Amino acid sequence: MSTRYDEAYGAWRADPEAFWAEAAEGVDWFRRWDRVLDADRAPLYRWYAGAETNTCHNAVDRHVAAGRGDQPAVIYDSPVAGNIKRVLTFAQLQSEVARAGGMLRALGVAKGDRVIIYMPMVPETLVAMLACARIGAIHSVVFGGFAANELATRIDDAKPKAILSASCGIEPGRVVPYKPLLDGAIEMSSHKPEKCVVLQREMETAELIPGRDLDWDEAMAAATPADIVPVAATDPLYILYTSGTTGIPKGVVRDNGGHLVALKWSMKNIYDIDPGETYWAASDVGWVVGHSYIVYAPLFHGCATIVYEGKPVGTPDPGAFWRVISEHGAAALFTAPTAFRAIKKEDPEGALIGNYDLSKFRTLFLAGERADPDTLQWAERILDRPVIDHWWQTESGWPIAANCMGLGQFPVKHGSSTKAVPGYDIQVVDEQAKQVPAGETGAIVVKLPLPPGCLPTLWQADDRYVESYLEEFPGYYKTADAGYLDEDGYVFIMSRTDDIINVAGHRLSTGGMEEVLSAHPDVAECAVIGVADQLKGQVPLGLVVLKSGVTRGEGEICQDLVGMVRGQIGPVASFRTCAVVARLPKTRSGKILRGTMRRIADGEEWSMPATIDDPVILDEITGTLGEVGYPGKG
Ligand code: COA
Ligand code: AMP
């Protein structure tokens, strides 16, 4: 029997351009497209070529015009800032965003200019993003848990005219001053932004540098509201930097038109949400989930979005998520499995749920890392509602595989993110790019062109885009995930094929961490591997070989190294364990056997690689791993 999903997927397959033309009717355009898909520069594709629109208009102004002005748009809830709650209606959001657009204008920011936003989970961050969109500037949000060095790399790549920041972020039990990180980053970077605007928060105010820094409230008060600026559908809306296989992050570009269409379409068809409902993505605006499902998609759909500045546990207890859902009437929650592992650890029976009214809550969505069947089944049991694992990446910007709730739910198979979303042709291939049979593991690829919403390229790096994603499997986008499709077309994502690891749902590069360790004067060579962790899914583990003649204590050096990763990448790397080894296991051609070491650390079955240079080294490594708590830890 054909399902609604089958019909939608079939309609897309039969005529992708007609499918995406119809989906585009959900968006307000100032000028309609000449071509739905422009393939003139294939494999670089552009959606809705010739069309003009504005992302901020679609997120805010159109709803005010349609009579939603008094409806909540942004619901701020911060247990860590003293249990503050604040609601911005669509009309209030419009007035704030227009003013912020004027503030940017007054700083000399114009269409096409970049603006870096380095701000915590406060409504002003959304206002800042939407204000950029309003005037056609390109925002690049940098996650607050990154160190100054990471911010500096992004400043040098994006070359922002201005930076919008705040005096501090708040983590449980500590205030994180942002200003020293901001100043440090600008000192390190070659490109110097002309102006910085700082939102002063009462927990910690920052000292402003005269001539360069402005106070957010003062600049806003002095600003003249800015009108919407029409932009091309193909103009960039934002750049979001994500970990690549080196320490140099990739600037994922998102366009205006395709992003609008895909995200708007996803709200009903994937998440089964109606305009006027409240949607909650418990992530951070610094990640793609935050961009797409805290800010843009809910607002495009006329929903209220929750901006939660807190954690699943400890702020104040593991009932925090249920409190937020019930107080604000959320219909759906989207978070990473790690959040549920944290709740499960502290409230194994889900006893706190009983204290709250979850009657409006229909579905839990999980993504960002593999949802282990244990946690997923636990969530199903305590919530007694569908728990939907879905798979996507910073690059795609919206789900690649999901159980599309708006198209009729499929039976859940634990461990699978269900089926390809209409728009994506997911295939599993071997090294020769040949499809493998159902059930067999291989590289997961998506047939080109990617649907609207996915990255059209990397920021000013078409060549790197092609080389990173399109070259290895011609005609396909390489996801860098490995897994399989079963006989029913269900997708199982098992692991990455590169050195990316997922720590508490945060995407990090072990290559980037190795670059930091290698810079230590006592380190001759090193390897960082992602090992299993019961709470965070994975955590990084460093193994270093010291230069001969080094006399300092190993413990002291390891402490340095832990501090260096925290200082140069950020606390979010959770790099806490490092051990000194005499040698690293390698193949005869000199490639470090990271995969084998990971399997040993995780206590998995492993076999001696045929190409190993010296098998004895693996015994030594096993011994060292034992000393620092592996295998079996996790
Ligand atoms: N600004 C500054 N520091 C930050 C930060 C931010 N925005 N976010 C995290 N950090 C810091 C934390 O304070 C912690 O510092 P510490 O080493 O001094 O303790 C460190 O970075 C590691 O953070 P995290 O990995 O988040 O671990 P945690 O122990 O603080 O919390 C969880 C664990 C599971 C509760 C937390 O990761 C969580 O809520 N995850 C939800 C999933 C999520 O948001 N995923 C995002 C993608 S969907
Ligand atoms: P990010 O770019 O931070 O969204 O991370 C993307 C990566 O996270 C993917 O390439 C996967 O490796 C992993 N990931 C995201 N969602 C899932 C999921 N549902 N199941 C398994 N892995 C996932």
Side-chain angles (χ1 to χ4, degrees):
M1 197 188 64
S2 165
T3 64
R4 273 187 292 139
Y5 165 87
D6 292 330
E7 281 161 24
Y9 198 83
W12 165 71
R13 264 233 193 265
D15 191 344
E17 292 192 44
F19 181 89
W20 288 118
E22 194 186 323
E25 298 301 337
V27 167
D28 262 7
W29 302 94
F30 303 147
R31 181 184 188 280
R32 289 174 74 84
W33 50 90
D34 300 322
R35 278 188 291 175
V36 178
L37 179 68
D38 172 1
D40 285 355
R41 291 180 62 227
L44 302 179
Y45 296 91
R46 292 285 187 270
W47 287 98
Y48 308 107
E52 280 182 2
T53 184
N54 181 284
T55 289
C56 179
H57 166 80
N58 275 281
V60 185
D61 299 58
R62 76 175 285 192
H63 302 306
V64 177
R68 288 191 188 278
D70 293 334
Q71 185 201 296
V74 176
I75 301 170
Y76 171 54
D77 185 310
S78 175
V80 292
N83 295 320
I84 301 179
K85 284 162 212 169
R86 185 147 69 94
V87 175
L88 283 176
T89 62
F90 274 102
Q92 288 164 333
L93 182 62
Q94 182 184 37
S95 132
E96 289 282 300
V97 168
R99 202 164 269 288
M103 170 177 84
L104 288 169
R105 277 269 173 75
L107 303 180
V109 176
K111 186 172 166 178
D113 286 338
R114 274 79 57 214
V115 174
I116 281 191
I117 300 174
Y118 186 56
M119 294 176 76
M121 284 290 288
V122 291
E124 286 83 355
T125 309
L126 280 70
V127 168
M129 293 164 76
L130 291 162
C132 290
R134 189 171 193 86
I135 63 166
I138 303 165
H139 64 68
S140 187
V141 181
V142 178
F143 176 62
F146 281 128
N149 184 55
E150 291 284 325
L151 178 57
T153 315
R154 287 153 174 78
I155 293 174
D156 274 335
D157 198 69
K159 301 193 172 37
K161 192 138 209 183
I163 299 187
L164 306 181
S165 189
S167 55
C168 64
I170 311 167
E171 283 294 287
R174 79 188 159 106
V175 169
V176 183
Y178 276 20
K179 193 59 185 355
L181 297 169
L182 175 66
D183 291 344
I186 295 176
E187 209 174 296
M188 269 180 239
S189 60
S190 321
H191 172 84
K192 308 289 177 196
E194 287 163 29
K195 295 281 178 205
C196 298
V197 183
V198 180
L199 175 74
Q200 297 281 20
R201 304 187 75 188
E202 62 184 36
M203 307 83 199
E204 163 118 7
T205 49
E207 210 159 296
L208 304 184
I209 297 177
R212 191 199 71 184
D213 298 344
L214 300 168
D215 174 276
W216 173 284
D217 288 341
E218 287 171 14
M220 282 284 275
T224 314
D227 285 338
I228 294 279
V229 173
V231 296
T234 52
D235 279 342
L237 166 68
Y238 70 75
I239 309 164
L240 177 57
Y241 288 89
T242 190
S243 300
T245 47
T246 65
I248 311 289
K250 292 170 172 164
V252 168
V253 171
R254 197 80 60 209
D255 62 12
N256 278 277
H259 177 247
L260 259 164
V261 173
L263 263 56
K264 174 79 176 76
W265 185 89
S266 74
M267 284 301 285
K268 182 64 195 167
N269 293 286
I270 298 181
Y271 297 99
D272 196 20
I273 294 290
D274 290 317
E277 291 195 297
T278 301
Y279 184 90
W280 181 24
S283 176
D284 187 288
V285 276
W287 305 110
V288 68
V289 173
H291 279 63
S292 295
Y293 290 103
I294 294 176
V295 188
Y296 289 115
L299 295 179
F300 291 161
H301 203 48
C303 293
T305 182
I306 298 176
V307 175
Y308 174 67
E309 192 181 28
K311 302 270 172 176
V313 295
T315 58
D317 59 35
F321 274 18
W322 325 134
R323 176 191 67 76
V324 174
I325 290 173
S326 89
E327 258 182 52
H328 306 301
L333 166 64
F334 175 174
T335 192
T338 191
F340 269 71
R341 287 195 294 270
I343 298 170
K344 179 170 130 202
K345 194 167 156 215
E346 295 200 9
D347 181 15
E349 291 309 315
L352 293 178
I353 293 184
N355 299 347
Y356 300 97
D357 169 13
L358 302 190
S359 53
K360 288 194 175 153
F361 179 54
R362 294 196 297 272
T363 324
L364 169 66
F365 293 91
L366 298 175
E369 56 173 329
R370 186 172 157 71
D372 55 290
D374 244 24
T375 305
L376 202 138
Q377 281 165 304
W378 178 80
E380 282 176 334
R381 183 165 63 78
I382 60 152
L383 288 171
D384 194 21
R385 284 164 176 78
V387 177
I388 304 302
D389 175 22
H390 59 332
W391 166 58
W392 50 304
Q393 310 183 312
T394 303
E395 290 83 348
S396 67
W398 65 295
I400 307 171
N403 206 334
C404 292
M405 296 302 281
L407 294 174
Q409 190 193 345
F410 280 109
V412 168
K413 291 194 192 183
H414 299 119
S416 167
S417 35
T418 317
K419 299 197 184 200
V421 168
Y424 295 93
D425 177 355
I426 300 176
Q427 299 185 15
V428 182
V429 296
D430 63 17
E431 280 166 11
Q432 278 73 48
K434 260 191 57 203
Q435 278 193 60
V436 302
E440 217 168 274
T441 299
I444 304 188
V445 296
V446 180
K447 197 161 187 304
L448 294 176
L450 292 172
C454 294
L455 80 172
T457 189
L458 294 174
W459 177 246
Q460 296 194 326
D462 286 349
D463 291 349
R464 188 176 180 202
Y465 170 61
V466 172
E467 186 198 319
S468 306
Y469 301 105
L470 310 182
E471 238 166 47
E472 194 171 333
F473 303 105
Y476 295 89
Y477 163 80
K478 176 177 82 170
T479 66
D481 278 315
Y484 61 94
L485 285 164
D486 75 2
E487 59 289 351
D488 299 323
Y490 277 56
V491 183
F492 290 76
I493 307 296
M494 304 309 290
S495 60
R496 290 284 300 195
T497 58
D498 55 13
D499 70 355
I500 300 293
I501 57 169
N502 237 297
V503 182
H506 309 316
R507 172 168 160 176
L508 295 155
S509 155
T510 53
M513 293 182 218
E514 288 180 3
E515 284 176 24
V516 173
L517 302 189
S518 313
H520 190 285
D522 295 338
V523 170
E525 59 177 346
C526 64
V528 176
I529 52 177
V531 293
D533 182 86
Q534 223 165 40
L535 174 64
K536 298 192 178 186
Q538 280 183 304
V539 288
L541 165 72
L543 296 164
V544 296
V545 178
L546 300 183
K547 287 181 182 160
S548 60
V550 169
T551 51
R552 285 181 70 217
E554 291 181 1
E556 214 181 315
I557 295 172
C558 285
Q559 243 180 358
D560 283 358
L561 295 170
V562 167
M564 281 169 74
V565 174
R566 192 178 172 94
Q568 289 178 44
I569 294 179
V572 69
S574 292
F575 182 79
R576 300 211 169 96
T577 314
C578 186
V580 172
V581 293
R583 298 171 295 171
L584 287 169
K586 291 183 186 167
T587 61
R588 283 188 283 278
S589 59
K591 194 170 162 279
I592 296 175
L593 291 161
R594 294 180 178 80
T596 311
M597 291 194 286
R598 184 199 58 75
R599 279 188 284 280
I600 296 174
D602 287 350
E604 282 177 16
E605 294 230 339
W606 62 278
S607 53
M608 187 63 71
T611 53
I612 193 164
D613 183 27
D614 180 358
V616 177
I617 302 181
L618 280 179
D619 290 340
E620 295 169 13
I621 294 285
T622 307
T624 309
L625 289 172
E627 283 162 27
V628 289
Y630 300 88
K633 185 178 176 238

